[in-house]
PDB file of all heavy atoms in Angstrom:
ATOM      1  N   LEU A  99     180.265 140.604 164.199  1.00 89.00           N
ATOM      2  CA  LEU A  99     179.130 141.155 164.938  1.00 89.00           C
ATOM      3  C   LEU A  99     178.115 141.740 163.963  1.00 89.00           C
ATOM      4  O   LEU A  99     178.381 142.744 163.295  1.00 89.00           O
ATOM      5  CB  LEU A  99     179.627 142.242 165.895  1.00 89.00           C
ATOM      6  CG  LEU A  99     178.568 143.091 166.611  1.00 89.00           C
ATOM      7  CD1 LEU A  99     177.607 142.210 167.407  1.00 89.00           C
ATOM      8  CD2 LEU A  99     179.245 144.115 167.502  1.00 89.00           C
ATOM      9  N   ASP A 100     176.960 141.123 163.879  1.00 87.00           N
ATOM     10  CA  ASP A 100     175.901 141.553 162.969  1.00 87.00           C
ATOM     11  C   ASP A 100     174.845 142.323 163.765  1.00 87.00           C
ATOM     12  O   ASP A 100     174.193 141.764 164.642  1.00 87.00           O
ATOM     13  CB  ASP A 100     175.276 140.339 162.292  1.00 87.00           C
ATOM     14  CG  ASP A 100     174.195 140.706 161.290  1.00 87.00           C
ATOM     15  OD1 ASP A 100     173.989 141.923 161.039  1.00 87.00           O
ATOM     16  OD2 ASP A 100     173.548 139.789 160.760  1.00 87.00           O
ATOM     17  N   LEU A 101     174.696 143.610 163.446  1.00 92.00           N
ATOM     18  CA  LEU A 101     173.712 144.448 164.141  1.00 92.00           C
ATOM     19  C   LEU A 101     172.467 144.701 163.301  1.00 92.00           C
ATOM     20  O   LEU A 101     171.617 145.496 163.681  1.00 92.00           O
ATOM     21  CB  LEU A 101     174.353 145.793 164.519  1.00 92.00           C
ATOM     22  CG  LEU A 101     175.507 145.718 165.524  1.00 92.00           C
ATOM     23  CD1 LEU A 101     176.098 147.102 165.743  1.00 92.00           C
ATOM     24  CD2 LEU A 101     175.038 145.115 166.847  1.00 92.00           C
ATOM     25  N   SER A 102     172.365 144.035 162.135  1.00 87.00           N
ATOM     26  CA  SER A 102     171.224 144.311 161.254  1.00 87.00           C
ATOM     27  C   SER A 102     169.898 143.912 161.884  1.00 87.00           C
ATOM     28  O   SER A 102     168.849 144.465 161.542  1.00 87.00           O
ATOM     29  CB  SER A 102     171.402 143.592 159.910  1.00 87.00           C
ATOM     30  OG  SER A 102     171.468 142.185 160.099  1.00 87.00           O
ATOM     31  N   GLY A 103     169.935 142.965 162.815  1.00 88.00           N
ATOM     32  CA  GLY A 103     168.693 142.532 163.454  1.00 88.00           C
ATOM     33  C   GLY A 103     168.352 143.290 164.721  1.00 88.00           C
ATOM     34  O   GLY A 103     167.307 143.024 165.338  1.00 88.00           O
ATOM     35  N   GLY A 129     181.799 145.442 163.699  1.00 88.00           N
ATOM     36  CA  GLY A 129     180.376 145.172 163.576  1.00 88.00           C
ATOM     37  C   GLY A 129     179.846 145.753 162.293  1.00 88.00           C
ATOM     38  O   GLY A 129     180.554 146.417 161.534  1.00 88.00           O
ATOM     39  N   HIS A 130     178.595 145.495 162.024  1.00 85.00           N
ATOM     40  CA  HIS A 130     178.000 146.030 160.803  1.00 85.00           C
ATOM     41  C   HIS A 130     176.486 146.003 160.915  1.00 85.00           C
ATOM     42  O   HIS A 130     175.913 145.160 161.581  1.00 85.00           O
ATOM     43  CB  HIS A 130     178.413 145.205 159.576  1.00 85.00           C
ATOM     44  CG  HIS A 130     177.709 145.646 158.334  1.00 85.00           C
ATOM     45  ND1 HIS A 130     178.044 146.798 157.676  1.00 85.00           N
ATOM     46  CD2 HIS A 130     176.640 145.132 157.681  1.00 85.00           C
ATOM     47  CE1 HIS A 130     177.227 146.957 156.656  1.00 85.00           C
ATOM     48  NE2 HIS A 130     176.367 145.970 156.631  1.00 85.00           N
ATOM     49  N   GLY A 131     175.849 146.950 160.201  1.00 85.00           N
ATOM     50  CA  GLY A 131     174.435 146.805 159.901  1.00 85.00           C
ATOM     51  C   GLY A 131     173.462 147.617 160.722  1.00 85.00           C
ATOM     52  O   GLY A 131     172.253 147.513 160.512  1.00 85.00           O
ATOM     53  N   TRP A 132     173.923 148.473 161.649  1.00 91.00           N
ATOM     54  CA  TRP A 132     172.943 149.221 162.441  1.00 91.00           C
ATOM     55  C   TRP A 132     172.294 150.314 161.589  1.00 91.00           C
ATOM     56  O   TRP A 132     172.897 150.861 160.671  1.00 91.00           O
ATOM     57  CB  TRP A 132     173.568 149.816 163.700  1.00 91.00           C
ATOM     58  CG  TRP A 132     174.667 150.825 163.473  1.00 91.00           C
ATOM     59  CD1 TRP A 132     176.008 150.582 163.402  1.00 91.00           C
ATOM     60  CD2 TRP A 132     174.505 152.240 163.302  1.00 91.00           C
ATOM     61  NE1 TRP A 132     176.696 151.757 163.192  1.00 91.00           N
ATOM     62  CE2 TRP A 132     175.803 152.783 163.125  1.00 91.00           C
ATOM     63  CE3 TRP A 132     173.411 153.103 163.287  1.00 91.00           C
ATOM     64  CZ2 TRP A 132     176.019 154.149 162.938  1.00 91.00           C
ATOM     65  CZ3 TRP A 132     173.622 154.457 163.093  1.00 91.00           C
ATOM     66  CH2 TRP A 132     174.909 154.968 162.918  1.00 91.00           C
ATOM     67  N   ASP A 133     171.050 150.593 161.904  1.00 91.00           N
ATOM     68  CA  ASP A 133     170.280 151.611 161.178  1.00 91.00           C
ATOM     69  C   ASP A 133     169.345 152.280 162.179  1.00 91.00           C
ATOM     70  O   ASP A 133     168.291 151.748 162.520  1.00 91.00           O
ATOM     71  CB  ASP A 133     169.489 150.971 160.034  1.00 91.00           C
ATOM     72  CG  ASP A 133     168.711 151.986 159.213  1.00 91.00           C
ATOM     73  OD1 ASP A 133     168.733 153.191 159.553  1.00 91.00           O
ATOM     74  OD2 ASP A 133     168.076 151.583 158.215  1.00 91.00           O
ATOM     75  N   PRO A 160     180.264 150.499 161.501  1.00 90.00           N
ATOM     76  CA  PRO A 160     179.739 151.321 160.409  1.00 90.00           C
ATOM     77  C   PRO A 160     178.224 151.218 160.319  1.00 90.00           C
ATOM     78  O   PRO A 160     177.640 150.164 160.604  1.00 90.00           O
ATOM     79  CB  PRO A 160     180.404 150.734 159.172  1.00 90.00           C
ATOM     80  CG  PRO A 160     180.695 149.317 159.541  1.00 90.00           C
ATOM     81  CD  PRO A 160     180.996 149.331 161.007  1.00 90.00           C
ATOM     82  N   ARG A 161     177.605 152.329 159.942  1.00 88.00           N
ATOM     83  CA  ARG A 161     176.178 152.325 159.654  1.00 88.00           C
ATOM     84  C   ARG A 161     175.919 151.376 158.492  1.00 88.00           C
ATOM     85  O   ARG A 161     176.825 151.021 157.737  1.00 88.00           O
ATOM     86  CB  ARG A 161     175.721 153.747 159.309  1.00 88.00           C
ATOM     87  CG  ARG A 161     174.208 153.905 159.201  1.00 88.00           C
ATOM     88  CD  ARG A 161     173.803 155.303 158.733  1.00 88.00           C
ATOM     89  NE  ARG A 161     172.348 155.409 158.660  1.00 88.00           N
ATOM     90  CZ  ARG A 161     171.631 154.963 157.648  1.00 88.00           C
ATOM     91  NH1 ARG A 161     172.236 154.396 156.608  1.00 88.00           N
ATOM     92  NH2 ARG A 161     170.317 155.078 157.651  1.00 88.00           N
ATOM     93  N   VAL A 162     174.690 150.958 158.297  1.00 87.00           N
ATOM     94  CA  VAL A 162     174.350 149.980 157.274  1.00 87.00           C
ATOM     95  C   VAL A 162     174.839 150.396 155.887  1.00 87.00           C
ATOM     96  O   VAL A 162     175.215 149.557 155.076  1.00 87.00           O
ATOM     97  CB  VAL A 162     172.830 149.703 157.271  1.00 87.00           C
ATOM     98  CG1 VAL A 162     172.038 150.949 156.880  1.00 87.00           C
ATOM     99  CG2 VAL A 162     172.483 148.524 156.364  1.00 87.00           C
ATOM    100  N   PRO A 443     178.250 144.233 152.281  1.00 92.00           N
ATOM    101  CA  PRO A 443     177.222 143.883 153.259  1.00 92.00           C
ATOM    102  C   PRO A 443     176.172 144.962 153.537  1.00 92.00           C
ATOM    103  O   PRO A 443     175.450 144.859 154.531  1.00 92.00           O
ATOM    104  CB  PRO A 443     178.049 143.642 154.515  1.00 92.00           C
ATOM    105  CG  PRO A 443     179.169 144.636 154.406  1.00 92.00           C
ATOM    106  CD  PRO A 443     179.504 144.690 152.941  1.00 92.00           C
TER     107      PRO A 443
END
Side-chain angles (χ1 to χ4, degrees):
L99 171 57
D100 182 5
L101 296 177
S102 61
H130 174 75
W132 62 268
D133 182 357
R161 189 185 181 279
V162 65

